[in-house]
Amino acid sequence: MASYQPVTKEIVEQLEKIAPGRVYFGDDVNPDYGRDEMPIYGTRVPEASVDALTTGEIAAVMKLCYENNIPVTTRGAGTGLVGGCVPVMGGVVIATTKMNKILGYDLDNYTVTVQPGVLLQQLAEDALSHECLYPPDPGEKLATLGGNVSTNASGMRGVKYGATRDYVKAMTVVLPTGEITHFGSSVSKTSSGYNLLHLMIGSEGTLGIITELTLKLIPAPKAAVSLVVPFEDLASCIAMVPKLRHSGLNPQAIEFFEKAILVTSETYLKKQVFPRVVDGVDVGAYLLITFDGESEEALNPIIERAAELLLDQGALDVLVADSAPKRKEAWAARSSFLEGIEEQCKLLDECDVVVPVTQIPEYVVYADTLAKNYDFQLQYFGHAGDGNLHIYACSNDLEKDVFVQQVDDFMSKLYAKTMELGGQISGEHGIGRGKIKYLAEAVGPTNIALMQGIKKVFDPKLLLNPGKVFTLPEA
């Protein structure tokens, strides 16, 4: 195990020379820097923090910490859900939220260059002003792009446009030694050695610190229509997803959710958006589907075909949200699921497994059946179009230690089922601190050893975001 040194007043003085007025120590450190949005995985406030502004500052801080064996954790907006930005070994947190500039567009090549602290929402709105779309669309719009890339968080449009990984062209990275390097380029393809760019994407801040990103854009679709589709029960709702996915209609997004989590969200928003009863039948679950294209006229036959397919397969109705306000209202309810759960539940744990689309019905039935053996409740929703499911264990009654024990047993069985069906432990939230055990069980000792070996090549002193993804190799 690595031997870490404390942050002394002398170290703080040197940090202050690097980032004047933006260094905090001891009780002056923002306590939020000791947690993310899922504090059940633990909290720890760092000894010191630095609000960085430039690549050069980050390089200088990293070099100082490397020379003095001080662990460093990089932090964006802190919206993660696996304890990924919690500085579990203390040390220094480098916050990148002030590195929030969109540096420029290359519209001839459809790319944009940004600093890592730019918010997803900020880029989405700015790109649209240039008639461009940045397709990755995680539910948390106030997350930073650096954090999105570090976890390969992709969100709702993945069914049509792919993952965040598909939109990262190049990046500037500070290595644990303080060296500055560049991975990738703006060209369309490469066969030039190991792909270090893609190794960094999804590495959760354990290999290097991303300080600049060049991202791919696409021309913004000129029209979009969303469908709100209620079903009597979850089974018929989920069974519809593979059929829609393989219908050739090419939806932009297919989200599914059950009634319970919708009620939670609408209670949080203080507004009912979706129908609860259709023609006297209680709704049990919903699909929220979006199609986009060059014009409303081009979308009309697609919507008609989709509606016919949905109704033939048991949908109670197909409600068309064909204006911007209607779409915004529908997606606001979907985007508030997590906030609603957090407001109404004292104890939470979650997983964001991904399984083959055709296996979604079997997986959801298994999760429901398994949960009956425990004292917590399940709420879940998912990016059904690409098989990425978000399953939350919730309780207001259990003691924390009992909740943690029960959830650990539940998750172990749930992840085993994930692998049995050919899935993966995380689709976009990452492993962080909370899922280390489950990843090790899922991929086995050979693959963990390979990951540990890569870590040691990049970070021989094991200083960068230690205690995440896997247990540390021996230094």
PDB file of all heavy atoms in Angstrom, residues 163-180:
ATOM      1  N   ALA A 163     -22.453   6.613 -27.080  1.00  0.00           N
ATOM      2  CA  ALA A 163     -21.980   7.001 -25.757  1.00  0.00           C
ATOM      3  C   ALA A 163     -21.093   8.238 -25.815  1.00  0.00           C
ATOM      4  O   ALA A 163     -20.635   8.659 -26.887  1.00  0.00           O
ATOM      5  CB  ALA A 163     -21.215   5.847 -25.124  1.00  0.00           C
ATOM      6  N   THR A 164     -20.825   8.815 -24.662  1.00  0.00           N
ATOM      7  CA  THR A 164     -19.903   9.953 -24.561  1.00  0.00           C
ATOM      8  C   THR A 164     -18.578   9.633 -25.233  1.00  0.00           C
ATOM      9  O   THR A 164     -17.974  10.482 -25.901  1.00  0.00           O
ATOM     10  CB  THR A 164     -19.695  10.325 -23.079  1.00  0.00           C
ATOM     11  OG1 THR A 164     -20.918  10.854 -22.561  1.00  0.00           O
ATOM     12  CG2 THR A 164     -18.595  11.360 -22.911  1.00  0.00           C
ATOM     13  N   ARG A 165     -18.120   8.410 -25.045  1.00  0.00           N
ATOM     14  CA  ARG A 165     -16.855   7.973 -25.653  1.00  0.00           C
ATOM     15  C   ARG A 165     -16.796   8.273 -27.151  1.00  0.00           C
ATOM     16  O   ARG A 165     -15.730   8.575 -27.702  1.00  0.00           O
ATOM     17  CB  ARG A 165     -16.708   6.469 -25.415  1.00  0.00           C
ATOM     18  CG  ARG A 165     -15.446   5.837 -25.963  1.00  0.00           C
ATOM     19  CD  ARG A 165     -15.422   4.344 -25.654  1.00  0.00           C
ATOM     20  NE  ARG A 165     -15.520   4.084 -24.227  1.00  0.00           N
ATOM     21  CZ  ARG A 165     -14.509   4.155 -23.384  1.00  0.00           C
ATOM     22  NH1 ARG A 165     -13.317   4.479 -23.827  1.00  0.00           N
ATOM     23  NH2 ARG A 165     -14.678   3.897 -22.110  1.00  0.00           N
ATOM     24  N   ASP A 166     -17.924   8.200 -27.818  1.00  0.00           N
ATOM     25  CA  ASP A 166     -17.974   8.402 -29.264  1.00  0.00           C
ATOM     26  C   ASP A 166     -17.823   9.866 -29.668  1.00  0.00           C
ATOM     27  O   ASP A 166     -17.702  10.162 -30.861  1.00  0.00           O
ATOM     28  CB  ASP A 166     -19.299   7.869 -29.821  1.00  0.00           C
ATOM     29  CG  ASP A 166     -19.495   6.392 -29.525  1.00  0.00           C
ATOM     30  OD1 ASP A 166     -18.543   5.624 -29.713  1.00  0.00           O
ATOM     31  OD2 ASP A 166     -20.602   6.014 -29.078  1.00  0.00           O
ATOM     32  N   TYR A 167     -17.830  10.785 -28.691  1.00  0.00           N
ATOM     33  CA  TYR A 167     -17.797  12.219 -29.001  1.00  0.00           C
ATOM     34  C   TYR A 167     -16.571  12.926 -28.437  1.00  0.00           C
ATOM     35  O   TYR A 167     -16.479  14.144 -28.506  1.00  0.00           O
ATOM     36  CB  TYR A 167     -19.097  12.879 -28.498  1.00  0.00           C
ATOM     37  CG  TYR A 167     -20.270  12.354 -29.277  1.00  0.00           C
ATOM     38  CD1 TYR A 167     -20.937  11.212 -28.861  1.00  0.00           C
ATOM     39  CD2 TYR A 167     -20.647  12.945 -30.484  1.00  0.00           C
ATOM     40  CE1 TYR A 167     -21.972  10.675 -29.617  1.00  0.00           C
ATOM     41  CE2 TYR A 167     -21.678  12.415 -31.232  1.00  0.00           C
ATOM     42  CZ  TYR A 167     -22.332  11.289 -30.805  1.00  0.00           C
ATOM     43  OH  TYR A 167     -23.353  10.752 -31.572  1.00  0.00           O
ATOM     44  N   VAL A 168     -15.634  12.161 -27.921  1.00  0.00           N
ATOM     45  CA  VAL A 168     -14.385  12.746 -27.427  1.00  0.00           C
ATOM     46  C   VAL A 168     -13.305  12.540 -28.482  1.00  0.00           C
ATOM     47  O   VAL A 168     -12.925  11.417 -28.794  1.00  0.00           O
ATOM     48  CB  VAL A 168     -13.944  12.118 -26.092  1.00  0.00           C
ATOM     49  CG1 VAL A 168     -12.669  12.787 -25.587  1.00  0.00           C
ATOM     50  CG2 VAL A 168     -15.052  12.236 -25.049  1.00  0.00           C
ATOM     51  N   LYS A 169     -12.835  13.660 -29.037  1.00  0.00           N
ATOM     52  CA  LYS A 169     -11.834  13.595 -30.099  1.00  0.00           C
ATOM     53  C   LYS A 169     -10.413  13.703 -29.555  1.00  0.00           C
ATOM     54  O   LYS A 169      -9.493  13.059 -30.060  1.00  0.00           O
ATOM     55  CB  LYS A 169     -12.070  14.734 -31.101  1.00  0.00           C
ATOM     56  CG  LYS A 169     -13.460  14.768 -31.709  1.00  0.00           C
ATOM     57  CD  LYS A 169     -13.697  13.608 -32.649  1.00  0.00           C
ATOM     58  CE  LYS A 169     -12.929  13.761 -33.943  1.00  0.00           C
ATOM     59  NZ  LYS A 169     -13.225  12.687 -34.909  1.00  0.00           N
ATOM     60  N   ALA A 170     -10.217  14.568 -28.556  1.00  0.00           N
ATOM     61  CA  ALA A 170      -8.865  14.806 -28.035  1.00  0.00           C
ATOM     62  C   ALA A 170      -8.976  15.398 -26.640  1.00  0.00           C
ATOM     63  O   ALA A 170     -10.024  15.908 -26.234  1.00  0.00           O
ATOM     64  CB  ALA A 170      -8.095  15.762 -28.954  1.00  0.00           C
ATOM     65  N   MET A 171      -7.885  15.312 -25.897  1.00  0.00           N
ATOM     66  CA  MET A 171      -7.860  15.901 -24.561  1.00  0.00           C
ATOM     67  C   MET A 171      -6.428  16.247 -24.157  1.00  0.00           C
ATOM     68  O   MET A 171      -5.462  15.653 -24.640  1.00  0.00           O
ATOM     69  CB  MET A 171      -8.468  14.954 -23.522  1.00  0.00           C
ATOM     70  CG  MET A 171      -7.742  13.634 -23.375  1.00  0.00           C
ATOM     71  SD  MET A 171      -8.396  12.601 -22.019  1.00  0.00           S
ATOM     72  CE  MET A 171     -10.036  12.212 -22.607  1.00  0.00           C
ATOM     73  N   THR A 172      -6.336  17.265 -23.294  1.00  0.00           N
ATOM     74  CA  THR A 172      -5.085  17.582 -22.620  1.00  0.00           C
ATOM     75  C   THR A 172      -5.161  16.989 -21.225  1.00  0.00           C
ATOM     76  O   THR A 172      -6.189  17.111 -20.544  1.00  0.00           O
ATOM     77  CB  THR A 172      -4.874  19.102 -22.531  1.00  0.00           C
ATOM     78  OG1 THR A 172      -4.827  19.636 -23.858  1.00  0.00           O
ATOM     79  CG2 THR A 172      -3.588  19.439 -21.802  1.00  0.00           C
ATOM     80  N   VAL A 173      -4.092  16.346 -20.805  1.00  0.00           N
ATOM     81  CA  VAL A 173      -4.086  15.604 -19.545  1.00  0.00           C
ATOM     82  C   VAL A 173      -2.835  15.947 -18.747  1.00  0.00           C
ATOM     83  O   VAL A 173      -1.736  16.027 -19.302  1.00  0.00           O
ATOM     84  CB  VAL A 173      -4.121  14.080 -19.813  1.00  0.00           C
ATOM     85  CG1 VAL A 173      -3.989  13.286 -18.511  1.00  0.00           C
ATOM     86  CG2 VAL A 173      -5.400  13.699 -20.544  1.00  0.00           C
ATOM     87  N   VAL A 174      -3.015  16.157 -17.451  1.00  0.00           N
ATOM     88  CA  VAL A 174      -1.893  16.257 -16.525  1.00  0.00           C
ATOM     89  C   VAL A 174      -1.719  14.897 -15.862  1.00  0.00           C
ATOM     90  O   VAL A 174      -2.656  14.366 -15.251  1.00  0.00           O
ATOM     91  CB  VAL A 174      -2.130  17.344 -15.459  1.00  0.00           C
ATOM     92  CG1 VAL A 174      -1.028  17.321 -14.412  1.00  0.00           C
ATOM     93  CG2 VAL A 174      -2.200  18.720 -16.115  1.00  0.00           C
ATOM     94  N   LEU A 175      -0.523  14.337 -15.999  1.00  0.00           N
ATOM     95  CA  LEU A 175      -0.228  13.041 -15.410  1.00  0.00           C
ATOM     96  C   LEU A 175       0.121  13.195 -13.927  1.00  0.00           C
ATOM     97  O   LEU A 175       0.407  14.305 -13.458  1.00  0.00           O
ATOM     98  CB  LEU A 175       0.914  12.380 -16.169  1.00  0.00           C
ATOM     99  CG  LEU A 175       0.633  12.079 -17.652  1.00  0.00           C
ATOM    100  CD1 LEU A 175       1.877  11.545 -18.336  1.00  0.00           C
ATOM    101  CD2 LEU A 175      -0.521  11.100 -17.790  1.00  0.00           C
ATOM    102  N   PRO A 176       0.121  12.110 -13.166  1.00  0.00           N
ATOM    103  CA  PRO A 176       0.424  12.210 -11.736  1.00  0.00           C
ATOM    104  C   PRO A 176       1.789  12.817 -11.431  1.00  0.00           C
ATOM    105  O   PRO A 176       1.979  13.376 -10.346  1.00  0.00           O
ATOM    106  CB  PRO A 176       0.351  10.756 -11.269  1.00  0.00           C
ATOM    107  CG  PRO A 176      -0.651  10.130 -12.182  1.00  0.00           C
ATOM    108  CD  PRO A 176      -0.384  10.762 -13.524  1.00  0.00           C
ATOM    109  N   THR A 177       2.722  12.745 -12.353  1.00  0.00           N
ATOM    110  CA  THR A 177       4.048  13.352 -12.146  1.00  0.00           C
ATOM    111  C   THR A 177       4.035  14.861 -12.336  1.00  0.00           C
ATOM    112  O   THR A 177       5.015  15.536 -12.030  1.00  0.00           O
ATOM    113  CB  THR A 177       5.047  12.762 -13.149  1.00  0.00           C
ATOM    114  OG1 THR A 177       4.549  12.985 -14.484  1.00  0.00           O
ATOM    115  CG2 THR A 177       5.255  11.283 -12.923  1.00  0.00           C
ATOM    116  N   GLY A 178       2.939  15.390 -12.884  1.00  0.00           N
ATOM    117  CA  GLY A 178       2.877  16.807 -13.229  1.00  0.00           C
ATOM    118  C   GLY A 178       3.171  17.073 -14.690  1.00  0.00           C
ATOM    119  O   GLY A 178       3.070  18.230 -15.142  1.00  0.00           O
ATOM    120  N   GLU A 179       3.535  16.050 -15.446  1.00  0.00           N
ATOM    121  CA  GLU A 179       3.771  16.226 -16.876  1.00  0.00           C
ATOM    122  C   GLU A 179       2.451  16.525 -17.593  1.00  0.00           C
ATOM    123  O   GLU A 179       1.396  16.006 -17.216  1.00  0.00           O
ATOM    124  CB  GLU A 179       4.379  14.966 -17.488  1.00  0.00           C
ATOM    125  CG  GLU A 179       5.752  14.604 -16.972  1.00  0.00           C
ATOM    126  CD  GLU A 179       6.182  13.241 -17.475  1.00  0.00           C
ATOM    127  OE1 GLU A 179       6.737  13.179 -18.589  1.00  0.00           O
ATOM    128  OE2 GLU A 179       5.937  12.245 -16.771  1.00  0.00           O
ATOM    129  N   ILE A 180       2.520  17.339 -18.635  1.00  0.00           N
ATOM    130  CA  ILE A 180       1.351  17.659 -19.453  1.00  0.00           C
ATOM    131  C   ILE A 180       1.474  16.905 -20.772  1.00  0.00           C
ATOM    132  O   ILE A 180       2.522  16.940 -21.431  1.00  0.00           O
ATOM    133  CB  ILE A 180       1.266  19.171 -19.731  1.00  0.00           C
ATOM    134  CG1 ILE A 180       1.162  19.946 -18.417  1.00  0.00           C
ATOM    135  CG2 ILE A 180       0.073  19.489 -20.626  1.00  0.00           C
ATOM    136  CD1 ILE A 180       1.306  21.446 -18.580  1.00  0.00           C
TER     137      ILE A 180
END
